């Protein structure tokens, strides 16, 4: 490696990394992150590799790196190298004639990323919405991750939101003692502030800026699957999509099928992929996909090859400015038109990997047995008839590669779904996720609590998986 490009002070959001890789045509990028898929002896640290398109390394690249790593005989480092990460500009070093010169360039990653956003959105419309006579009051929580500088410069300095709109904007090594996960469990302070009714729009970001959460006035929560579907239905509000058109949508398999309803009306294809942004990159590079998302609050478009939290927030502000309605009104209008997908995810974190593996192995044997496809489950007054089951596998429509065993699916005759998936597994810990989804077309039934609607499905999931009995747990670690 003869040249490194690093964000000022060593801080880069994941979408900014993707942006810079694409802008300077780099060979790739390395992200050191508090990751959901950690490495290190104690599972405390993550390393992500991005390829030349600015997206996560596909499986074939990761496997090739691994194979090469087993044959390496030597490597060269410079332990005494000192780089001033605060000073913008180029610094050159002579490293024992290995490279002449070895170049390190410190860049303003916020400014580079801001210039990309200017080419996508109508900043004047958003600025008027945040500063004009009918301005909305917003509350943005960077959760002491890397997003603080981006939020301050873009939302406050560039778009005019008051400085006190942005909270927890100083990046801290321990994130202030709170997991930087944008959900109702960990963004509780933002939720409490929104419940007071003072703010019309709220958002939180994760540690590296690729995931987000949206709240409306009085703490109205927009789940990630609904957010993706609503964004899809309003892409015409964004100048970028008015110019490029909409080619197709992508969603991870566990993400609710709300997006599919929008795609059907818009007459564009939907690609159902395994969880992991790398599966969307091929679709976008080949021109098949304009918008994609995951149920874990990750959403993005073909402007980059990474999920992009701030981009999603700017889309929402653009929709609000165009519709002149509240977050809740927009969501309820969407439900009235497309139906509501009640949806919930239950995370069982920190499981012993062997226990989690055998739960999934036994469950797969159970649900893929032919006799299971004829099962009916009665829970209270609800009866669920199994329509089909499978262990999800994906064939990439671009290169034909097949990815197997990406989660267990039970699909019922009323389109309800139960999904079981292993996530963030390592030799240290494992997470088992259960997803439940139920579709309701009738607007008079759209005001129920998701967990109340989904409780019969959850009871079925717990019965057939025996997860509480086999782990000694009384319930999940996190519910989203």
């Amino acid at each position: 490696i003869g040249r490194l490009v690093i964000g000022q002070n060593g801080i880069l959001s994941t979408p900014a990394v993707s942006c810079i890789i694409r802008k300077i045509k780099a060979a790739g990028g390395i992200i050191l992150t508090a990751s959901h898929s950690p490495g290190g002896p104690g599972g405390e640290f993550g390393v992500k590799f991005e390829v030349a398109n600015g997206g996560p390394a596909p499986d074939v690249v990761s496997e090739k790196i691994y194979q090469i790593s087993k044959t390496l005989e030597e490597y060269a480092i410079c332990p005494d190298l000192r780089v001033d990460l605060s000073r913008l500009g180029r610094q050159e070093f002579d490293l024992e004639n290995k490279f002449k010169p070895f170049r390190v360039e410190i860049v303003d990653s916020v400014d580079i990323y801001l210039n990309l956003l200017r080419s996508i959105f109508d900043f004047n419309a958003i600025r008027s919405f945040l500063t004009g006579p009918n301005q909305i009051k917003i509350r943005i929580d960077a959760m002491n991750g890397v997003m603080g500088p981006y939020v301050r410069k873009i939302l406050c300095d560039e778009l005019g939101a008051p400085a006190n709109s942005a909270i927890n904007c100083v990046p801290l090594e321990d994130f202030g003692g709170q997991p930087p996960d944008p959900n109702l469990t960990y963004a509780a302070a933002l939720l409490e502030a929104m419940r007071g009714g003072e703010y019309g729009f709220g958002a939180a970001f994760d540690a590296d800026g690729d995931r987000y959460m949206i709240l409306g006035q009085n703490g109205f929560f927009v789940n990630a699957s609904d957010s993706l579907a609503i964004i899809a239905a309003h892409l015409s509000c964004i100048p970028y999509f008015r110019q490029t058109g909409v080619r197709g949508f992508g969603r991870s398999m566990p993400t609710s099928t709300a997006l599919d309803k929008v795609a059907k009306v818009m007459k564009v294809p939907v690609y159902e992929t395994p969880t992991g942004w790398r599966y969307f990159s091929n679709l976008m590079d080949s021109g098949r996909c304009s918008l994609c998302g995951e149920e874990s609050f990750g959403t993005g478009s073909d402007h980059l090859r990474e999920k992009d939290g701030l981009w999603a927030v700017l889309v929402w502000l653009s929709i609000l400015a165009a519709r002149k309605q509240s977050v809740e009104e927009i969501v309820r209008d969407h439900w009235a038109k497309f139906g509501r997908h009640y949806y919930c995810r239950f995370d069982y974190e920190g499981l012993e990997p062997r226990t989690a593996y055998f739960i999934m192995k036994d469950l797969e044997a159970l649900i893929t047995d032919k006799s299971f496809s004829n099962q009916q489950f009665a829970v209270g007054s609800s009866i669920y008839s199994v329509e089909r089951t499978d262990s999800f596998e994906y064939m990439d429509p671009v290169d034909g590669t097949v990815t197997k065993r990406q989660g267990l699916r039970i699909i019922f005759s009323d389109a309800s779904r139960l999904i079981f998936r292993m996530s963030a597994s390592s030799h240290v810990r494992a997470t088992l996720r259960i997803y439940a989804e139920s579709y309701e077309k009738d607007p008079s039934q759209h005001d129920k609590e998701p967990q109340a609607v989904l409780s019969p499905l959850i009871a079925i999931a717990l019965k057939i998986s025996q997860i509480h009995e086999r782990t000694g747990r009384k319930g999940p670690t996190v519910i989203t």
Side-chain angles (χ1 to χ4, degrees):
I1 299 174
R3 180 187 176 199
L4 292 178
V5 177
I6 303 174
Q8 190 173 21
N9 299 314
I11 293 176
L12 275 160
S13 72
T14 294
V17 173
S18 182
C19 173
I20 293 170
I21 290 171
R22 294 169 68 82
K23 179 179 172 61
I24 68 174
K25 296 180 170 56
I30 298 170
I31 305 175
L32 313 176
T33 175
S35 172
H36 280 277
S37 302
E44 74 287 345
F45 193 70
V47 180
K48 298 180 186 176
F49 183 66
E50 308 274 84
V51 290
N53 70 356
D59 292 345
V60 64
V61 172
S62 298
E63 180 59 28
K64 183 70 173 176
I65 291 171
Y66 174 60
Q67 294 302 328
I68 291 173
S69 76
K70 296 195 292 186
T71 65
L72 291 177
E73 296 180 351
E74 65 172 3
Y75 58 89
I77 63 173
C78 184
D80 298 325
L81 184 65
R82 294 290 179 267
V83 178
D84 184 353
L85 296 178
S86 67
R87 179 165 62 89
L88 294 174
R90 186 177 295 174
Q91 302 170 47
E92 294 186 348
F93 306 88
D94 183 3
L95 304 184
E96 300 174 352
N97 298 318
K98 291 281 184 184
F99 297 101
K100 275 202 163 184
F102 177 69
R103 182 174 298 157
V104 178
E105 190 172 344
I106 309 300
V107 299
D108 184 339
S109 62
V110 182
D111 196 54
I112 294 170
Y113 174 68
L114 169 58
N115 284 330
L116 173 66
L117 295 181
R118 284 194 184 108
S119 70
I120 295 171
F121 295 99
D122 182 345
F123 268 28
N124 288 331
I126 299 174
R127 190 180 297 110
S128 297
F129 184 58
L130 295 176
T131 62
N134 299 313
Q135 64 185 258
I136 189 173
K137 196 169 183 181
I138 68 173
R139 181 88 163 174
I140 309 296
D141 190 346
M143 299 192 82
N144 295 120
V146 302
M147 286 305 292
Y150 296 83
V151 168
R152 288 204 179 282
K153 185 164 185 175
I154 296 170
L155 284 173
C156 299
D157 298 349
E158 180 76 14
L159 293 171
N164 61 5
S165 302
I167 60 172
N168 298 320
C169 284
V170 178
L172 299 175
E173 290 182 8
D174 66 348
F175 311 109
Q178 182 80 334
D181 209 343
N183 59 44
L184 295 177
T185 301
Y186 295 126
L190 175 66
L191 177 62
E192 193 60 32
M194 295 301 298
R195 280 176 172 159
E198 181 182 353
Y199 303 97
F201 178 84
F205 298 104
D206 72 337
D208 53 3
D210 57 6
R211 296 185 301 119
Y212 70 103
M213 179 181 71
I214 301 296
L215 294 172
Q217 195 167 26
N218 303 317
F220 183 85
F221 171 63
V222 185
N223 81 45
S225 297
D226 280 347
S227 178
L228 175 63
I230 290 164
I231 287 173
H234 291 87
L235 289 181
S236 60
C237 294
I238 314 301
Y240 175 86
F241 293 104
R242 293 201 294 268
Q243 294 162 9
T244 64
V246 178
R247 302 178 187 91
F249 300 140
R251 65 166 176 83
S252 65
M253 180 272 289
T255 302
S256 95
T257 54
L259 180 68
D260 304 45
K261 294 286 195 296
V262 177
K264 186 175 181 180
V265 170
M266 294 178 66
K267 296 181 171 59
V268 298
V270 176
Y271 299 92
E272 186 178 37
T273 73
T275 297
W277 211 258
R278 59 192 180 278
Y279 297 103
F280 295 132
S281 294
N282 254 10
L283 297 172
M284 292 188 283
D285 284 345
S286 66
R288 286 173 166 82
C289 184
S290 299
L291 172 76
C292 43
E294 299 177 333
E295 50 71 38
S296 56
F297 299 94
T299 305
S301 86
D302 60 357
H303 71 291
L304 290 177
R305 296 298 178 267
E306 271 288 2
K307 45 187 177 276
D308 190 342
L310 188 49
W311 173 90
V313 166
L314 292 177
V315 172
W316 263 97
L317 290 173
S318 300
I319 294 169
L320 289 165
R323 290 281 301 264
K324 296 179 173 56
Q325 291 177 294
S326 70
V327 170
E328 182 173 351
E329 287 169 335
I330 289 169
V331 173
R332 291 192 179 281
D333 279 358
H334 183 88
W335 291 342
K337 182 175 181 180
F338 296 100
R340 180 174 183 182
H341 293 255
Y342 285 98
Y343 184 85
C344 215
R345 187 185 90 192
F346 300 83
D347 294 354
Y348 291 83
E349 297 177 322
L351 299 180
E352 199 277 314
R354 182 178 171 84
T355 300
Y357 169 78
F358 279 107
I359 290 173
M360 289 294 288
K361 185 173 184 292
D362 294 345
L363 190 58
E364 181 176 359
L366 174 69
I367 72 163
T368 55
D369 188 276
K370 284 184 179 179
S371 63
F372 192 85
S373 60
N374 301 318
Q375 289 252 23
Q376 280 193 334
F377 293 90
V379 184
S381 60
S382 303
I383 297 177
Y384 293 88
S385 300
V386 177
E387 185 172 283
R388 63 188 175 94
T389 65
D390 66 8
S391 176
F392 180 67
E393 64 179 57
Y394 173 69
M395 177 180 283
D396 192 305
V398 180
D399 58 25
T401 56
V402 176
T403 308
K404 297 184 177 182
R405 305 190 77 165
Q406 294 299 302
L408 303 176
R409 295 191 296 183
I410 305 172
I411 299 168
F412 298 94
S413 57
D414 65 350
S416 297
R417 299 194 307 162
L418 277 175
I419 293 161
F420 301 82
R421 191 177 73 85
M422 290 278 286
S423 175
S425 296
S426 73
H427 67 283
V428 178
R429 59 179 183 148
T431 296
L432 198 155
R433 304 194 199 280
I434 300 176
Y435 310 79
E437 176 183 1
S438 183
Y439 177 68
E440 180 56 68
K441 179 66 176 173
D442 183 356
S444 70
Q445 302 297 312
H446 287 172
D447 278 326
K448 297 182 177 180
E449 280 296 318
Q451 287 188 52
V453 173
L454 297 168
S455 61
L457 281 172
I458 297 161
I460 296 169
L462 296 178
K463 179 181 178 181
I464 63 175
S465 69
Q466 296 287 293
I467 189 169
H468 291 173
E469 292 83 350
R470 296 179 68 170
T471 63
R473 298 283 180 89
K474 293 182 179 179
T477 318
V478 179
I479 301 172
T480 55

